[in-house]
């Protein structure tokens, strides 16, 4: 039996606020606990750790730091090795080695690059090594960067077909209006009302971000847990469903190719469609230009696009069969195919 492929994949994302001190420096107590608890489940999963905190770890070395794009890149280039070095030192006593992986959106936009990324991770896992992933802040620009590491973690979880996706936060879960942790969520749309609009001064993301990507992951049959690191063995307990907020996964029978496509990759544009087109898509039909009401962005044939309903809900991700200009020109043309049914993934 090939144990390398039989183990489920677990993606765990740690936000800046959850692993750093108020000064922005890494909290070694938390990183030590991450290493200890992850080591206990290392033999049961193929694990990916997505860790923020590089900018916070490196900004003290940048003179007159004001958070400009260039300063953030410089801080990340200093902070990444410092952060990875900490993880390595705390995993080492458990005879577990870690590897650094800096990702960009282009790694998810191109199928071949994505498969190369997965093959590299498979090789790491076969040698008992845990990849520590972060966005490549040093070279990413405003157009190509992820919205935050919540998105990066979700792209990895959806694209790789993970069993579980865990988001670590400073508050330990999704809080209701009384400030108590909601233990189980079956419909993400119903709990957005509890989300506060503020966010950590150190991080880019917030609870709304986590819920947005949790919704995508759960639709792809991935179990999502939002948890904290402030209680003893909280990561281990959250994985067992005994702490934090558990978002119930839906059911999915998507192929590996469509999981990758459904993760969004590098989205080049969006389409808004009418009610008739929405119903046709739900019946697994191709998308025709006559059902498109709005085209946003400039994209080429073969690029990934998002499809929205007339009620502004993202209903699908697709690979465009034609260019955006061709769609605009043929909006009234009968039987002009925009995306083939085989290249559309419903969300």
């Amino acid at each position: 039996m090939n144990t390398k492929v039989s183990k489920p994949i677990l993606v765990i994302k740690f936000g800046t606020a959850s692993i750093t001190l108020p000064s922005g420096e890494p909290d070694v107590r938390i990183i030590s606990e991450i290493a200890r608890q992850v080591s206990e489940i290392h033999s049961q999963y193929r694990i990916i750790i997505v860790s923020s905190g590089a900018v916070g770890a490196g900004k003290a070395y940048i003179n007159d730091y004001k958070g400009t794009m260039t300063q953030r890149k410089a801080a990340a280039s200093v902070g990444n090795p410092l952060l990875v070095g900490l993880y390595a030192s705390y995993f080492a006593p458990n005879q577990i080695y870690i590897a650094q992986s800096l990702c960009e959106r282009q790694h998810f936009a191109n199928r071949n690059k994505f498969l190369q990324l997965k093959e590299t991770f498979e090789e790491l896992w076969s040698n008992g090594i845990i990849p520590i992933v972060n966005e490549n802040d040093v070279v990413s620009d405003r157009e190509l960067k992820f919205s935050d590491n919540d998105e990066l973690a979700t792209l990895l979880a959806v694209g790789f077909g993970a069993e579980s996706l865990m988001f670590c936060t400073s508050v330990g879960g999704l809080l209701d209006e009384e400030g108590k942790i909601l233990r189980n969520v079956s419909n993400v749309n119903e709990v957005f009302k509890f989300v506060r609009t503020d966010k950590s001064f150190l991080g880019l993301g917030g609870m709304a971000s986590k819920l947005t990507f949790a919704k995508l992951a759960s639709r792809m049959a991935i179990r999502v847990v939002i948890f904290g690191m402030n209680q003893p063995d909280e990561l281990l307990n959250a994985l067992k469903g005994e702490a934090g907020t558990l978002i119930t996964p839906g059911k999915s029978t998507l192929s590996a190719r469509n999981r990758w496509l459904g993760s969004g990759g590098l989205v080049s544009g969006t389409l808004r469609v009418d009610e008739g087109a929405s119903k046709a898509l739900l019946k697994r039909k191709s998308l025709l230009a006559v059902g498109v009401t709005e085209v946003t962005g400039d994209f080429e044939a073969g690029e990934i696009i998002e499809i929205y309903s007339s009620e502004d809900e993202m209903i699908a991700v697709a690979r465009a069969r034609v260019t955006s200009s061709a769609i605009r020109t043929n909006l009234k043309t009968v039987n002009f195919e925009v995306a083939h049914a085989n290249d559309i993934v419903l969300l």
Side-chain angles (χ1 to χ4, degrees):
M1 182 177 179
N2 190 335
T3 57
K4 181 178 73 171
V5 297
S6 64
K7 292 181 184 179
I9 294 173
L10 170 63
V11 179
I12 314 173
K13 185 264 180 177
F14 295 96
T16 301
S18 64
I19 64 166
T20 58
L21 300 168
S23 62
E25 297 175 357
D27 188 335
V28 295
R29 180 186 67 84
I30 295 296
I31 292 178
S32 172
E33 273 299 295
I34 291 171
R36 182 186 69 80
Q37 294 181 52
V38 170
S39 295
E40 289 194 27
I41 57 174
H42 179 235
S43 62
Q44 304 167 40
Y45 294 92
R46 289 172 287 169
I47 298 172
I48 300 172
I49 292 177
V50 179
S51 179
S52 303
V55 174
K59 70 178 185 178
Y61 298 89
I62 306 302
N63 293 330
D64 194 29
Y65 183 83
K66 290 184 172 63
T68 66
M69 180 63 72
T70 301
Q71 286 180 324
R72 285 182 61 82
K73 290 181 178 182
S77 67
V78 175
N80 264 317
L82 295 176
L83 190 62
V84 170
L86 281 174
Y87 278 112
S89 65
Y90 284 105
F91 271 105
N94 297 302
Q95 289 74 53
I96 296 174
Y97 296 98
I98 61 96
Q100 183 180 45
S101 176
L102 297 178
C103 290
E104 301 167 36
R105 294 205 64 162
Q106 61 175 309
H107 296 142
F108 298 88
N110 181 284
R111 175 77 172 152
N112 290 331
K113 287 184 178 180
F114 176 78
L115 291 176
Q116 289 174 29
L117 177 67
K118 187 173 183 180
E119 287 174 0
T120 300
F121 277 30
E122 291 285 1
E123 185 65 25
L124 292 171
W125 289 326
S126 70
N127 287 278
I129 299 169
I130 298 176
I132 307 286
V133 183
N134 196 359
E135 179 184 0
N136 193 356
D137 291 301
V138 178
V139 298
S140 291
D141 59 26
R142 294 179 189 274
E143 286 71 38
L144 292 179
K145 73 184 281 83
F146 300 97
S147 61
D148 52 48
N149 273 342
D150 294 332
E151 181 181 14
L152 173 54
T154 305
L155 287 172
L156 288 165
V158 173
F160 283 20
E163 177 187 84
S164 298
L165 168 62
M166 302 181 72
F167 292 116
C168 181
T169 74
S170 57
V171 295
L174 177 63
L175 306 181
D176 64 16
E177 52 198 354
E178 297 179 354
K180 297 179 180 179
I181 293 177
L182 289 168
R183 294 301 311 280
N184 291 280
V185 173
S186 57
N187 187 336
V188 175
N189 289 330
E190 294 179 353
V191 295
F192 269 97
K193 62 185 178 182
F194 298 125
V195 176
R196 293 172 56 184
T197 56
D198 60 336
K199 58 186 177 182
S200 161
F201 68 96
L202 287 171
L204 288 175
M207 192 60 73
S209 168
K210 288 169 181 57
L211 286 179
T212 297
F213 293 113
K215 181 179 178 180
L216 170 61
S218 63
R219 282 177 167 177
M220 297 292 177
I222 297 172
R223 178 176 178 269
V224 180
V225 183
I226 301 174
F227 73 107
M229 287 293 293
N230 296 319
Q231 301 298 322
D233 290 331
E234 195 163 358
L235 188 158
L236 297 173
N237 291 332
L239 184 60
K240 292 184 291 185
E242 299 173 359
T245 300
L246 170 64
I247 298 174
T248 307
K251 296 181 179 180
S252 175
T253 57
L254 293 178
S255 66
R257 177 184 179 279
N258 280 347
R259 281 201 306 270
W260 163 76
L261 181 60
S263 68
L266 186 61
V267 175
S268 300
T270 62
L271 301 179
R272 196 170 308 281
V273 299
D274 61 23
E275 185 177 354
S278 294
K279 290 180 179 179
L281 290 175
L282 292 176
K283 294 178 181 178
R284 306 290 180 179
K285 303 292 185 180
S286 297
L287 177 61
L288 304 179
V290 291
V292 176
T293 59
E294 183 181 344
V295 182
T296 304
D298 295 313
F299 49 87
E300 300 297 322
E303 294 189 316
I304 297 173
I305 54 175
E306 294 174 339
I307 303 173
Y308 287 80
S309 69
S310 57
E311 297 176 347
D312 204 33
E313 178 184 5
M314 187 166 72
I315 57 175
V317 176
R319 182 167 293 281
R321 186 165 184 174
V322 293
T323 67
S324 54
S325 60
I327 298 172
R328 291 187 179 99
T329 302
N330 291 277
L331 288 178
K332 304 299 181 181
T333 303
V334 178
N335 294 330
F336 186 86
E337 192 174 73
V338 171
H340 191 274
N342 292 340
D343 290 328
I344 299 173
V345 176
L346 299 178
L347 300 178

